Amino acid sequence: MNLMDVLIILVYFTVLIVVGIIGAKRAKSSEDYILAGRNLGFFMYFGCLGAVILGGASTIGTTSLGYNYGISGVWLVFMLGFGIMLLGLFLIKRITSFKVMTISEFLGKRFNSQSQLISALVAAIYDMMVSVTQVIGMGTILHVLVGWNLTTSMLVGGGIVLFYTILGGMWSVTMTDIIQFIVMTVGVFFVMMPLGISSAGGWSGLASKLPEGYFSFTNIGLKQIFQYFLLFGLGMVVAQDIWQRVFTAKTLKVARTGTVFAGIYSIFYGLAVSIIGMCAFIVLPDLKDSQNAFASMALEILPNGVLGLVLAGVISALMSTASGTLLASSTLITNDILKKYYFKDINERQFLKLSRIVTTIIGVVTIIFALWIQDVLVALDVAYAVLSGAIFVPIVLGFFWKRATANAAFYSIILSSITILIGLAFEGITSTNPILYGIAVSVVSMVVISLSSQAKEKQVSDYTGDVGSETSYIDSAK
């Protein structure tokens, strides 16, 4: 990588920092800092949502899967897009009607404060782990390209994201995400994929040189596809970083159409990076670590100047997701735990200061975890396993089943989280079974505890004539 490309990337980093500083001037209230004032139009909303979905796993991970399995590597990102479209088509209206800031705040309104607390902890850990994957991805890219050691690369990439996120919150994240969305779209669709196909000998070269299974959409295995559905399809429906972006939309129409379009865009993005991975299999057949496939392919086929632009695009994808999930984790801790239990009477200015402090702490912890784990897909699997297995069922039943009770939601999250973590410890983090165990425990505990609680309430009402109702919030969301 020559000096011109390094300068392009450094200039790009500088632009992000400057934009972050500008965004800080717009973050004058907690709603500005956390939700960009709930004022985004279609283009900004669509671009920001697309940017936060497509990060390290979507780019580096899917290119690696394309290198190892061919076109079926698309399933990871396909399930991300599928989950987003489910959210847009079936839940957006209900979500926006509650006027909350977090997924946990919804559970608190629908059930009780205990459910809000435990779900905030689980969702905050998930978002932090997704941030970890992005820092690992940035470190991997910079390590291959610039030649810095992996630790230095993670510190630089993670540090820049942390800086502009602390400054301006969602406004800084939004403004930088629009730049990142444009750069990564141009870099992947209009530069990297066409040049990659050309370097591999065109479509005819791919057809003749790749193993036969590389053109099968099931080559990765039905079990793996199902795991991606459980992890990413269900996980995206109940992810705080996604909900937080939904709350930034100016209107319900913007939220719904932008979400569906972001899901469609994600699927095409997954196809593009899978094809890039397939091209890398031909151009770089002896690659030792397929996680480096995208960066190594870029070094191999791109001319000077263009290389810097494309790699800035990849780093953009990582940074946009890192900033979004970092802010989401901070929001959950600040809004649903600290403000609710420890700083109940703080004013707007104090809450904004507290948000920045918590963002700083979580950002530092994220970078430490990234340095420790150093595997993007491992970190992502752990994050989504707990989210899908423990949070999905209480959220969905909270929306659609009036008889779901507060105690049921609380114990469901605890029991399913414990089940998943034990399952992962015994069967390994690549196993689908712990997620299924968690979902099963969640469903059973929700149903059994809800029905038994209502049976007890009915017995009491027979004597007192006073029956409480937990359905008012769900009725108001219709």
Side-chain angles (χ1 to χ4, degrees):
M1 188 171 184
N2 72 2
L3 181 60
M4 181 189 298
D5 295 309
V6 174
L7 288 175
I8 289 173
I9 292 176
L10 292 178
V11 168
Y12 179 73
F13 285 165
T14 303
V15 169
L16 292 182
I17 292 172
V18 171
V19 170
I21 294 172
I22 294 172
K25 296 180 179 180
R26 304 191 67 172
K28 297 178 180 179
S29 68
S30 59
E31 192 165 86
D32 288 336
Y33 189 84
I34 294 172
L35 301 175
R38 301 183 191 264
N39 199 37
L40 298 189
F42 174 80
F43 176 73
M44 291 190 73
Y45 175 79
F46 162 66
C48 292
L49 193 56
V52 77
I53 297 167
L54 302 169
S58 305
T59 306
I60 295 173
T62 301
T63 305
S64 175
L65 293 173
Y67 188 93
N68 292 319
Y69 301 102
I71 198 69
S72 63
V74 74
W75 282 106
L76 188 155
V77 178
F78 177 90
M79 290 305 176
L80 290 173
F82 178 68
I84 283 293
M85 286 189 285
L86 287 179
L87 179 68
L89 292 172
F90 299 108
L91 292 180
I92 284 289
K93 184 176 181 180
R94 291 173 180 266
I95 289 172
T96 54
S97 67
F98 274 86
K99 299 296 182 183
V100 295
M101 286 188 177
T102 67
I103 189 172
S104 303
E105 193 175 356
F106 160 72
L107 286 172
K109 284 190 172 185
R110 174 63 179 88
F111 297 115
N112 59 12
S113 58
Q114 289 89 346
S115 300
Q116 182 173 354
L117 174 62
I118 191 65
S119 62
L121 289 172
V122 172
I125 292 171
Y126 149 77
D127 279 307
M128 190 187 75
M129 289 303 292
V130 175
S131 295
V132 168
T133 69
Q134 311 312 304
V135 175
I136 295 170
M138 284 183 275
T140 301
I141 294 288
L142 292 173
H143 170 63
V144 172
L145 301 178
V146 186
W148 300 335
N149 65 56
L150 195 57
T151 298
T152 301
S153 300
M154 289 184 189
L155 289 173
V156 170
I160 291 171
V161 170
L162 179 58
F163 177 76
Y164 72 71
T165 305
I166 291 170
L167 283 179
M170 186 59 81
W171 269 120
S172 290
V173 170
T174 297
M175 295 169 70
T176 53
D177 275 1
I178 292 301
I179 298 172
Q180 291 163 343
F181 178 76
I182 294 170
V183 172
M184 75 188 208
T185 299
V186 172
V188 169
F189 285 99
F190 299 104
V191 179
M192 193 70 178
M193 186 174 70
L195 290 179
I197 294 171
S198 176
S199 299
W203 284 111
S204 59
L206 289 173
S208 61
K209 297 175 185 177
L210 286 173
E212 184 178 349
Y214 271 52
F215 290 94
S216 169
F217 279 95
T218 58
N219 189 45
I220 199 170
L222 295 177
K223 181 180 179 181
Q224 186 65 68
I225 294 171
F226 182 58
Q227 183 179 29
Y228 286 156
F229 167 73
L230 294 176
L231 289 171
F232 308 126
L234 302 186
M236 293 303 281
V237 175
V238 294
Q240 166 61 22
D241 52 313
I242 303 301
W243 277 42
Q244 197 160 340
R245 295 306 176 102
V246 168
F247 299 146
T248 65
K250 183 182 295 186
T251 65
L252 174 61
K253 183 179 179 181
V254 168
R256 176 170 286 162
T257 56
T259 302
V260 172
F261 273 88
I264 295 170
Y265 173 87
S266 301
I267 294 171
F268 281 106
Y269 187 92
L271 282 170
V273 290
S274 293
I275 291 169
I276 292 168
M278 295 163 66
C279 296
F281 183 85
I282 295 174
V283 177
L284 303 168
D286 299 320
L287 196 60
K288 293 182 180 179
D289 185 357
S290 62
Q291 191 169 251
N292 296 329
F294 193 102
S296 300
M297 187 68 171
L299 285 170
E300 182 71 22
I301 68 173
L302 298 181
N304 295 335
V306 176
L307 175 61
L309 174 65
V310 170
L311 294 173
V314 178
I315 296 171
S316 293
L318 303 168
M319 286 185 163
S320 58
T321 301
S323 57
T325 50
L326 176 61
L327 185 62
S329 184
S330 168
T331 301
L332 286 160
I333 298 297
T334 307
N335 186 69
D336 295 297
I337 298 176
L338 296 179
K339 183 180 179 182
K340 188 173 181 63
Y341 292 96
Y342 300 101
F343 303 99
K344 296 180 180 180
D345 299 321
I346 61 174
N347 59 35
E348 189 71 22
R349 184 176 179 182
Q350 291 171 328
F351 182 73
L352 186 58
K353 183 178 180 180
L354 179 64
S355 296
R356 287 193 167 106
I357 292 171
V358 174
T359 302
T360 303
I361 294 171
I362 293 176
V364 171
V365 173
T366 294
I367 294 172
I368 292 172
F369 268 74
L371 295 172
W372 175 39
I373 297 175
Q374 297 193 5
D375 190 313
V376 66
L377 292 179
V378 168
L380 197 73
D381 284 351
V382 173
Y384 274 97
V386 176
L387 185 73
S388 300
I391 301 294
F392 180 81
V393 172
I395 287 289
V396 172
L397 291 185
F399 276 126
F400 295 107
W401 192 38
K402 292 182 179 181
R403 300 179 70 182
T405 66
N407 281 338
F410 176 69
Y411 287 110
S412 169
I413 295 170
I414 292 179
L415 293 173
S416 55
S417 296
I418 293 172
T419 301
I420 292 164
L421 293 174
I422 292 174
L424 292 173
F426 279 94
E427 299 195 22
I429 58 175
T430 59
S431 175
T432 305
N433 292 334
I435 307 168
L436 295 175
Y437 302 154
I439 291 175
V441 168
S442 188
V443 170
V444 171
S445 56
M446 280 291 293
V447 172
V448 171
I449 297 174
S450 292
L451 295 180
S452 62
S453 297
Q454 288 173 352
K456 291 178 181 178
E457 288 177 4
K458 187 176 186 304
Q459 289 178 350
V460 172
S461 70
D462 288 339
Y463 292 99
T464 65
D466 182 19
V467 181
S469 173
E470 289 187 291
T471 63
S472 58
Y473 284 110
I474 201 68
D475 288 335
S476 67
K478 286 185 177 180

